Amino acid sequence: KASRSSRGSGGVRAAAADSSLAAASADPAGGDADAGGSLRTPRSASFHEAAKGLDGASPAVPDAMVAEYERVKRELEQMREMKAKYEELRSNHEKLKVENEEVRKIVGDMYVSVDEDKEITDKYKATYKEIVDSLAPGGGPPKTGELMPKLYDLMVRMNDEDIRKEYMVQMEIILNDDPSVSERVKGIAEGMSIKLGEMMDTPRHQRIAKLAKEEEDRKQAQRQQQQNQADAAKSKEREAAQRKRNGQAYDALEPAIRQGLGVKPLSLFGDERQLAQRVQNRLQLRMVAMRAP
């Protein structure tokens, strides 16, 4: 009887399982049954929904939370892409910096980047304006002597196109009969037009190389002048020391030489006799005892 009861209860459980599978197969939202009779989760179901369908214990995830998760996921992906692009740009920037430094090592000051070119032009315009403003009535003391060397240095470093443009500007100032332009400004324009005309026929790298050579020659001349001044100071010190020693020697020997004048050496003995003999024989020693009238 127990055996038959066990077999009977097992059959009831099997029938209940078959009924559950059939119901799941018939329900479109519940999932699809494969050929083996196992339950498959729908493609549109989330992980938590699939878990709920399997064990009936996991809670369902709200749609708002799923949407927030997807949004954060998209933003993280965008941030990863932006970071990758930033790293690529930074790497390229570092490579360009290294390349620029290598070029600068090869050509030295002859290399001028686009940013440096604009900076040179802006500095030139600002310096020129400061000079012209100082020449205007009430502009204070003229700054031509102070700023013109700086302006010429900037002119040398300007690109060829800006040199030609500035040459036309200065020539227009000279040829224009504008009464608002003072004669001093026109005089500066004449000098600048001469310089700019010379620069127009010379490429910038040659102008910069010439300027660098002139600067080096100037520094070398300054170093040589300083060395000459130092040598002259040392020479004066040596001459002063020698005069001092000569004075000391004169003060020590002059009385003895004077005693030997007009004295017969035979009347003396030892060193005195020898000194008197030398004074009589050497005119240079007798001159020591002479005094200016």
Side-chain angles (χ1 to χ4, degrees), residues 110 160 202-210:
M110 292 184 290
D160 300 340
T202 307
R204 174 159 64 177
H205 69 277
Q206 294 183 8
R207 298 197 305 266
I208 294 178
K210 181 180 178 182

Side-chain angles (χ1 to χ4, degrees), residues 110 155-164 194-211 214:
M110 292 184 290
M155 286 168 54
V156 170
R157 299 179 183 277
M158 290 169 61
N159 63 57
D160 300 340
E161 183 63 25
D162 288 341
I163 288 289
R164 286 189 289 270
I194 295 173
K195 288 283 188 180
L196 291 166
E198 295 174 353
M199 295 178 186
M200 287 174 60
D201 299 329
T202 307
R204 174 159 64 177
H205 69 277
Q206 294 183 8
R207 298 197 305 266
I208 294 178
K210 181 180 178 182
L211 178 66
E214 292 176 353

Side-chain angles (χ1 to χ4, degrees), residues 70-126:
E70 295 295 336
R71 184 187 66 80
V72 173
K73 182 179 179 182
R74 287 194 301 270
E75 291 182 355
L76 289 175
E77 292 295 333
Q78 292 175 357
M79 291 178 64
R80 290 193 190 96
E81 293 178 1
M82 292 177 62
K83 183 178 180 182
K85 291 180 180 179
Y86 169 76
E87 292 296 334
E88 183 180 0
L89 289 173
R90 189 177 65 83
S91 177
N92 293 336
H93 179 68
E94 294 297 329
K95 290 180 181 179
L96 287 175
K97 286 178 62 178
V98 173
E99 291 177 0
N100 290 341
E101 290 299 326
E102 293 297 328
V103 172
R104 191 181 296 276
K105 289 179 183 178
I106 296 173
V107 300
D109 291 336
M110 292 184 290
Y111 173 77
V112 180
S113 65
V114 177
D115 294 337
E116 291 174 334
D117 199 11
K118 183 178 183 304
E119 183 180 357
I120 290 171
T121 304
D122 293 342
K123 285 183 178 180
Y124 170 83
K125 292 179 180 179

Side-chain angles (χ1 to χ4, degrees), residues 175-187:
L175 300 176
N176 194 0
D177 294 332
D178 188 356
S180 62
V181 179
S182 65
E183 292 298 325
R184 291 190 293 182
V185 173
K186 289 185 177 181

